[in-house]
Amino acid sequence: MLTEIKKSKKRLLITMDEVTNNEYVKVFASTFQILLRKDLPIYLLMTGLYENIYSLQNDEALTFLYRAPKIMLEPLSENAIASNYKAIFNVSTEQSMKMAKLTKGYPFAFQVLGYLCWKYKDKELDEIIPEYDHYLEEYVYEKIWTELSEQDRRVVAELSSQKEIKVKELRDKLDMNSSEMSVYRNRLGKRGIVDISKYGYMSLRLPRFDYYVRMCVMDIE
């Protein structure tokens, strides 16, 4: 089929969403590599969580994926989110920005908050936040937290008590050297949990994740 597509001077694009490092994906990726070597017009676009992509590309049989171009998605624009909320809910600019800041540009939070505001049209925003927290915890944060290493949790827990902190100050509090901190800083940054865009500083990126983490730490203690 691909040979016929090539004769017709056409190309085939295959898209895969939420990829994980399982046997089916590995078999497919290996087959894709063989087809590339035969110079057939096939292209592949995969999306997934950082840790799943990282695990897949570091598989001994699939290291060719390591050389594939990658795009790390950034948070959505809070201004764009506010514009959407303002148009849909017919609220003031101030109110729409307040709603947008609650999402921190996180796509899932954008969807959930919009859904809850639509569902509870007669409620104030502050009344909706508990259910908003529940959605984030159940569908995202619980999984993120349970998959973190003990040291990752220490870093995140310390960040949860501050809006932003100097990396050096965080190192001192956790009794880590520069090399150790770099490992956790980069890993948590790539997973989209920590914002490392400001040189020398770190902060939590996910909306109201600080609140969730503080509750978890209290339960542990």
Side-chain angles (χ1 to χ4, degrees), residues 184-205:
Y184 299 107
R185 177 182 178 275
N186 293 334
R187 184 163 64 204
L188 291 169
K190 287 177 179 177
R191 290 186 67 178
I193 297 171
V194 169
D195 186 353
I196 57 175
S197 60
K198 186 176 178 181
Y199 181 75
Y201 288 84
M202 290 172 64
S203 61
L204 292 182
R205 171 177 276 187

Side-chain angles (χ1 to χ4, degrees), residues 22-147:
N22 60 41
E23 288 304 312
Y24 300 104
V25 174
K26 286 194 283 189
V27 169
F28 172 79
S30 297
T31 304
F32 174 74
Q33 185 178 21
I34 293 170
L35 296 173
L36 282 182
R37 288 172 179 166
K38 293 183 177 181
D39 195 30
L40 292 168
I42 185 169
Y43 298 83
L44 175 62
L45 175 63
M46 296 192 295
T47 66
L49 296 174
Y50 165 76
E51 58 265 32
N52 292 337
I53 297 292
Y54 181 84
S55 173
L56 189 63
Q57 72 179 17
N58 284 282
D59 189 286
E60 290 184 359
L62 304 174
T63 52
F64 79 97
L65 289 174
Y66 197 85
R67 300 185 295 274
K70 298 172 190 64
I71 299 173
M72 300 292 288
L73 297 181
E74 295 298 318
L76 302 173
S77 163
E78 287 186 5
N79 288 331
I81 290 175
S83 294
N84 273 271
Y85 282 155
K86 184 178 181 180
I88 293 170
F89 298 110
N90 193 28
V91 294
S92 67
T93 300
E94 182 181 1
Q95 179 72 353
S96 65
M97 277 306 301
K98 183 178 179 181
M99 294 165 66
K101 288 187 179 300
L102 273 174
T103 72
K104 284 192 173 182
Y106 186 45
F108 180 71
F110 171 38
Q111 295 171 346
V112 168
L113 186 60
Y115 163 71
L116 293 175
C117 287
W118 184 266
K119 182 179 179 181
Y120 302 113
K121 295 178 183 178
D122 299 328
K123 288 189 176 183
E124 295 293 327
L125 184 60
D126 291 343
E127 297 178 271
I128 295 172
I129 289 178
E131 189 163 349
Y132 176 58
D133 286 337
H134 175 72
Y135 268 82
L136 293 175
E137 174 185 345
E138 184 175 355
Y139 292 102
V140 185
Y141 294 167
E142 187 175 0
K143 186 174 190 299
I144 289 176
W145 182 252
T146 55
E147 291 179 351

